[in-house]
Amino acid sequence: QVQLVESGGGLVQPGGSLRLSCAASGTIFSVLHLGWYRQAPGKEREFVAVITSGGTTNYENSVKGRFTISRDNAKNTVYLQMNSLKPEDTGVYYCTITSTTYWGQGTQVTVSS
């Protein structure tokens, strides 16, 4: 069966960096469009970034220039490099196969001094 497992979250100070990973299994990874979403306490889950099978990327406006989504098909893994983190980036980050109901379990990102 299809599984997505996120890792790399943690507690960082404002201005710091984290690199999130999402490892996929049970599917043909190279043909997938993959995305990252996040959910802050008391708020709806929101789009963060997406990468297509061809490598085209798009980002939510507030993370442009700070976050980079990438993929390594040989490792069946999608990444989210997060730099210049702000407190408003705090939330649970989830990876997904775009346009499906497949989600990982989420990884917590907390940006606080």
Side-chain angles (χ1 to χ4, degrees):
Q1 65 272 28
V2 176
Q3 289 187 304
L4 301 169
V5 181
E6 301 97 335
S7 62
L11 173 64
V12 297
Q13 295 184 351
S17 298
L18 285 173
R19 184 176 176 85
L20 307 183
S21 300
C22 175
S25 62
T27 188
I28 305 173
F29 187 85
S30 62
V31 304
L32 302 177
H33 296 10
L34 302 161
W36 287 96
Y37 285 69
R38 67 187 179 189
Q39 187 167 21
K43 300 186 69 176
E44 299 288 331
R45 189 174 300 185
E46 68 174 351
F47 168 78
V48 176
V50 65
I51 185 167
T52 71
S53 60
T56 300
T57 60
N58 281 290
Y59 300 91
E60 193 274 326
N61 286 335
S62 70
V63 309
K64 287 182 178 178
R66 300 188 298 120
F67 291 11
T68 303
I69 187 171
S70 62
R71 63 193 295 161
D72 186 338
N73 290 342
K75 297 181 179 180
N76 290 346
T77 301
V78 60
Y79 304 95
L80 186 68
Q81 178 66 48
M82 306 187 296
N83 299 324
S84 302
L85 283 162
K86 305 174 180 179
E88 52 262 45
D89 295 318
T90 293
V92 179
Y93 283 68
Y94 302 88
C95 67
T96 186
I97 302 173
T98 300
S99 299
T100 75
T101 57
Y102 294 118
W103 297 87
Q105 85 288 348
T107 186
Q108 177 71 46
V109 172
T110 303
V111 185
S112 176
S113 61

